[in-house]
Amino acid sequence: MKNLALLILFLVANSSLFAQSEDILFKVGNESVTLDEFKYIYEKNNSITNNDQLYTRESLDEYLELYIKFKLKVQEAKAQGLDTTAKFVKEYNMYRNQLAQPYLTDKNVTEKLKKEAYDRMHWILRASHILIDVTEDAFPSDTLEAFNLALKAKNEALKANDFATVARKYAKYTKEPTVEKTGGDIGYFSVFNTVYPFENAAYNAKQGEIVGPVRTKFGYHIIKVTEKR
């Protein structure tokens, strides 16, 4: 394997030579893996790596070993008729996810989210909410019913002088056990303390503003930001 890594290192260092190459790197059963295929996948999966560190002996050894294991696992499972078992699927997905991760990562989006989280860490919020329970896999008719109910609660909250009174009125539509006592007040929180759609709506709202309906995995929220500091 180490000699194979050295061969790859030599070929990728000579790009003009490599561009013409259809050489077979290794075989697993009847399946051949060419240098072109390996180079393409290797560069895709290391696209965020510094160019000086991309074609090193260590990085090639590590990735080549992972890729060969991946191919061997698939071939072995197929030969034994195990490619549909839960254990194989789990292990296959683990290797696939390792190989595919760079395809799924948008560097610009990641940087934007990191900056967003950093900026939000400077603030502590306090909010109250009205939650209308509805599961993520609910029927469309149930989802629509919950949305309309949340919208109705919002309109009432906008007209009312006391958000807590409206929250208690709609307490029967949620499994939250403390609404009667708290009036929907969830206290103080900062970034990462709530599910992201809730956090996003709260941080983008002005103090005293009522926003929603906001969909999360729990249902539809009507949110009132009572304090920002």
Side-chain angles (χ1 to χ4, degrees), residues 102-127:
Y103 291 98
L104 308 177
T105 303
D106 186 320
K107 189 175 181 181
N108 292 330
V109 172
T110 301
E111 289 302 317
K112 181 182 177 182
L113 288 172
K114 283 163 64 177
K115 184 180 184 305
E116 177 185 84
Y118 177 77
D119 291 341
R120 288 178 179 179
M121 287 170 119
H122 294 79
W123 293 87
I124 293 176
L125 275 58
R126 186 173 185 175

Short mmCIF file of all heavy atoms in Angstrom, two decimals, residues 102-127:
data_model
loop_
_atom_site.label_atom_id
_atom_site.label_comp_id
_atom_site.label_asym_id
_atom_site.label_seq_id
_atom_site.Cartn_x
_atom_site.Cartn_y
_atom_site.Cartn_z
N PRO A 102 -17.08 16.28 2.46
CA PRO A 102 -16.77 17.55 1.80
C PRO A 102 -17.80 17.97 0.77
O PRO A 102 -17.95 19.16 0.49
CB PRO A 102 -15.41 17.25 1.13
CG PRO A 102 -14.81 16.20 1.98
CD PRO A 102 -15.98 15.33 2.38
N TYR A 103 -18.51 17.01 0.16
CA TYR A 103 -19.55 17.37 -0.80
C TYR A 103 -20.70 18.09 -0.09
O TYR A 103 -21.41 18.87 -0.69
CB TYR A 103 -20.13 16.12 -1.47
CG TYR A 103 -19.18 15.42 -2.40
CD1 TYR A 103 -18.45 14.32 -1.97
CD2 TYR A 103 -19.04 15.84 -3.72
CE1 TYR A 103 -17.58 13.66 -2.84
CE2 TYR A 103 -18.18 15.20 -4.59
CZ TYR A 103 -17.45 14.10 -4.15
OH TYR A 103 -16.61 13.46 -5.00
N LEU A 104 -20.90 17.77 1.19
CA LEU A 104 -22.05 18.27 1.92
C LEU A 104 -21.75 19.55 2.68
O LEU A 104 -22.62 20.11 3.32
CB LEU A 104 -22.54 17.19 2.91
CG LEU A 104 -22.80 15.81 2.32
CD1 LEU A 104 -23.19 14.83 3.41
CD2 LEU A 104 -23.87 15.88 1.25
N THR A 105 -20.51 19.99 2.65
CA THR A 105 -20.10 21.14 3.43
C THR A 105 -19.88 22.34 2.52
O THR A 105 -19.05 22.31 1.64
CB THR A 105 -18.80 20.85 4.20
OG1 THR A 105 -19.00 19.70 5.01
CG2 THR A 105 -18.40 22.03 5.07
N ASP A 106 -20.65 23.36 2.74
CA ASP A 106 -20.49 24.62 2.03
C ASP A 106 -19.71 25.55 2.94
O ASP A 106 -20.22 26.00 3.97
CB ASP A 106 -21.86 25.21 1.68
CG ASP A 106 -21.74 26.44 0.79
OD1 ASP A 106 -20.82 27.25 1.03
OD2 ASP A 106 -22.56 26.59 -0.12
N LYS A 107 -18.49 25.85 2.57
CA LYS A 107 -17.61 26.64 3.43
C LYS A 107 -18.18 28.02 3.72
O LYS A 107 -18.10 28.52 4.83
CB LYS A 107 -16.23 26.76 2.79
CG LYS A 107 -15.18 27.39 3.71
CD LYS A 107 -13.81 27.38 3.05
CE LYS A 107 -12.78 28.00 4.00
NZ LYS A 107 -11.43 28.02 3.38
N ASN A 108 -18.79 28.64 2.69
CA ASN A 108 -19.36 29.98 2.88
C ASN A 108 -20.50 29.98 3.88
O ASN A 108 -20.62 30.87 4.72
CB ASN A 108 -19.84 30.54 1.54
CG ASN A 108 -18.68 30.83 0.60
OD1 ASN A 108 -17.59 31.15 1.05
ND2 ASN A 108 -18.93 30.74 -0.69
N VAL A 109 -21.36 28.94 3.79
CA VAL A 109 -22.48 28.82 4.73
C VAL A 109 -21.96 28.58 6.13
O VAL A 109 -22.44 29.17 7.11
CB VAL A 109 -23.43 27.68 4.30
CG1 VAL A 109 -24.48 27.43 5.38
CG2 VAL A 109 -24.10 28.03 2.98
N THR A 110 -20.95 27.72 6.26
CA THR A 110 -20.37 27.42 7.57
C THR A 110 -19.80 28.67 8.22
O THR A 110 -20.03 28.93 9.40
CB THR A 110 -19.27 26.36 7.43
OG1 THR A 110 -19.83 25.17 6.85
CG2 THR A 110 -18.68 26.00 8.80
N GLU A 111 -19.06 29.46 7.45
CA GLU A 111 -18.47 30.68 7.98
C GLU A 111 -19.55 31.68 8.40
O GLU A 111 -19.42 32.36 9.42
CB GLU A 111 -17.54 31.31 6.95
CG GLU A 111 -16.25 30.54 6.70
CD GLU A 111 -15.43 30.37 7.97
OE1 GLU A 111 -15.30 31.35 8.74
OE2 GLU A 111 -14.95 29.25 8.22
N LYS A 112 -20.61 31.75 7.61
CA LYS A 112 -21.71 32.67 7.93
C LYS A 112 -22.38 32.27 9.25
O LYS A 112 -22.68 33.12 10.10
CB LYS A 112 -22.74 32.66 6.81
CG LYS A 112 -23.91 33.58 7.04
CD LYS A 112 -24.92 33.51 5.90
CE LYS A 112 -26.14 34.38 6.18
NZ LYS A 112 -27.15 34.27 5.11
N LEU A 113 -22.59 30.97 9.44
CA LEU A 113 -23.23 30.48 10.67
C LEU A 113 -22.32 30.70 11.88
O LEU A 113 -22.80 31.01 12.97
CB LEU A 113 -23.58 29.00 10.53
CG LEU A 113 -24.75 28.69 9.59
CD1 LEU A 113 -24.89 27.19 9.38
CD2 LEU A 113 -26.05 29.27 10.15
N LYS A 114 -21.03 30.52 11.69
CA LYS A 114 -20.08 30.74 12.79
C LYS A 114 -20.10 32.21 13.24
O LYS A 114 -20.11 32.51 14.43
CB LYS A 114 -18.67 30.34 12.37
CG LYS A 114 -18.45 28.83 12.37
CD LYS A 114 -17.24 28.42 11.57
CE LYS A 114 -15.95 28.95 12.15
NZ LYS A 114 -14.78 28.46 11.36
N LYS A 115 -20.12 33.12 12.25
CA LYS A 115 -20.16 34.54 12.57
C LYS A 115 -21.48 34.90 13.25
O LYS A 115 -21.51 35.68 14.22
CB LYS A 115 -19.98 35.38 11.30
CG LYS A 115 -19.93 36.89 11.58
CD LYS A 115 -19.76 37.69 10.31
CE LYS A 115 -19.61 39.17 10.62
NZ LYS A 115 -20.71 39.72 11.43
N GLU A 116 -22.57 34.32 12.74
CA GLU A 116 -23.89 34.57 13.32
C GLU A 116 -23.92 34.14 14.78
O GLU A 116 -24.39 34.87 15.66
CB GLU A 116 -24.94 33.80 12.52
CG GLU A 116 -26.35 33.92 13.07
CD GLU A 116 -27.32 33.04 12.29
OE1 GLU A 116 -27.41 31.83 12.62
OE2 GLU A 116 -27.97 33.55 11.36
N ALA A 117 -23.41 32.94 15.05
CA ALA A 117 -23.39 32.44 16.43
C ALA A 117 -22.52 33.31 17.33
O ALA A 117 -22.89 33.63 18.46
CB ALA A 117 -22.89 31.00 16.45
N TYR A 118 -21.37 33.74 16.82
CA TYR A 118 -20.46 34.59 17.60
C TYR A 118 -21.13 35.92 17.95
O TYR A 118 -21.06 36.38 19.09
CB TYR A 118 -19.17 34.84 16.82
CG TYR A 118 -18.22 35.77 17.53
CD1 TYR A 118 -17.44 35.33 18.60
CD2 TYR A 118 -18.10 37.11 17.14
CE1 TYR A 118 -16.58 36.20 19.26
CE2 TYR A 118 -17.24 37.98 17.78
CZ TYR A 118 -16.48 37.52 18.85
OH TYR A 118 -15.64 38.37 19.51
N ASP A 119 -21.79 36.53 16.96
CA ASP A 119 -22.48 37.81 17.21
C ASP A 119 -23.60 37.65 18.23
O ASP A 119 -23.81 38.52 19.09
CB ASP A 119 -23.05 38.36 15.90
CG ASP A 119 -21.97 38.81 14.92
OD1 ASP A 119 -20.83 39.02 15.38
OD2 ASP A 119 -22.26 38.93 13.72
N ARG A 120 -24.32 36.53 18.15
CA ARG A 120 -25.43 36.31 19.08
C ARG A 120 -24.97 36.04 20.50
O ARG A 120 -25.72 36.25 21.45
CB ARG A 120 -26.31 35.16 18.57
CG ARG A 120 -27.12 35.54 17.34
CD ARG A 120 -27.93 34.39 16.80
NE ARG A 120 -28.70 34.81 15.64
CZ ARG A 120 -29.50 34.02 14.93
NH1 ARG A 120 -29.65 32.74 15.27
NH2 ARG A 120 -30.16 34.48 13.89
N MET A 121 -23.75 35.56 20.64
CA MET A 121 -23.23 35.26 21.99
C MET A 121 -23.10 36.53 22.84
O MET A 121 -22.97 36.44 24.05
CB MET A 121 -21.87 34.57 21.89
CG MET A 121 -21.95 33.13 21.42
SD MET A 121 -20.33 32.43 21.06
CE MET A 121 -20.28 31.10 22.22
N HIS A 122 -23.12 37.68 22.21
CA HIS A 122 -23.02 38.94 22.95
C HIS A 122 -24.36 39.36 23.56
O HIS A 122 -24.43 40.37 24.27
CB HIS A 122 -22.54 40.05 22.02
CG HIS A 122 -21.13 39.86 21.53
ND1 HIS A 122 -20.79 39.01 20.51
CD2 HIS A 122 -19.97 40.40 21.96
CE1 HIS A 122 -19.49 39.04 20.32
NE2 HIS A 122 -18.96 39.89 21.18
N TRP A 123 -25.41 38.61 23.27
CA TRP A 123 -26.75 38.99 23.71
C TRP A 123 -27.41 37.89 24.53
O TRP A 123 -27.24 36.71 24.25
CB TRP A 123 -27.65 39.30 22.51
CG TRP A 123 -27.22 40.53 21.77
CD1 TRP A 123 -26.31 40.60 20.76
CD2 TRP A 123 -27.68 41.86 21.99
NE1 TRP A 123 -26.17 41.89 20.33
CE2 TRP A 123 -27.01 42.70 21.06
CE3 TRP A 123 -28.59 42.44 22.87
CZ2 TRP A 123 -27.22 44.07 21.00
CZ3 TRP A 123 -28.81 43.80 22.80
CH2 TRP A 123 -28.13 44.61 21.88
N ILE A 124 -28.17 38.30 25.53
CA ILE A 124 -29.05 37.39 26.27
C ILE A 124 -30.48 37.86 26.04
O ILE A 124 -30.77 39.05 26.15
CB ILE A 124 -28.73 37.39 27.78
CG1 ILE A 124 -27.35 36.80 28.03
CG2 ILE A 124 -29.78 36.60 28.55
CD1 ILE A 124 -26.91 36.85 29.48
N LEU A 125 -31.34 36.91 25.71
CA LEU A 125 -32.74 37.23 25.42
C LEU A 125 -33.66 36.60 26.46
O LEU A 125 -33.31 35.59 27.08
CB LEU A 125 -33.14 36.70 24.03
CG LEU A 125 -32.86 37.57 22.81
CD1 LEU A 125 -31.38 37.91 22.68
CD2 LEU A 125 -33.34 36.87 21.55
N ARG A 126 -34.81 37.22 26.61
CA ARG A 126 -35.88 36.61 27.38
C ARG A 126 -37.13 36.63 26.50
O ARG A 126 -37.39 37.63 25.82
CB ARG A 126 -36.15 37.37 28.69
CG ARG A 126 -37.19 36.67 29.58
CD ARG A 126 -37.31 37.34 30.93
NE ARG A 126 -38.20 36.60 31.79
CZ ARG A 126 -38.42 36.90 33.09
NH1 ARG A 126 -37.81 37.95 33.62
NH2 ARG A 126 -39.23 36.17 33.82
N ALA A 127 -37.85 35.54 26.51
CA ALA A 127 -39.02 35.46 25.62
C ALA A 127 -40.12 34.62 26.25
O ALA A 127 -39.88 33.80 27.14
CB ALA A 127 -38.62 34.87 24.27
#
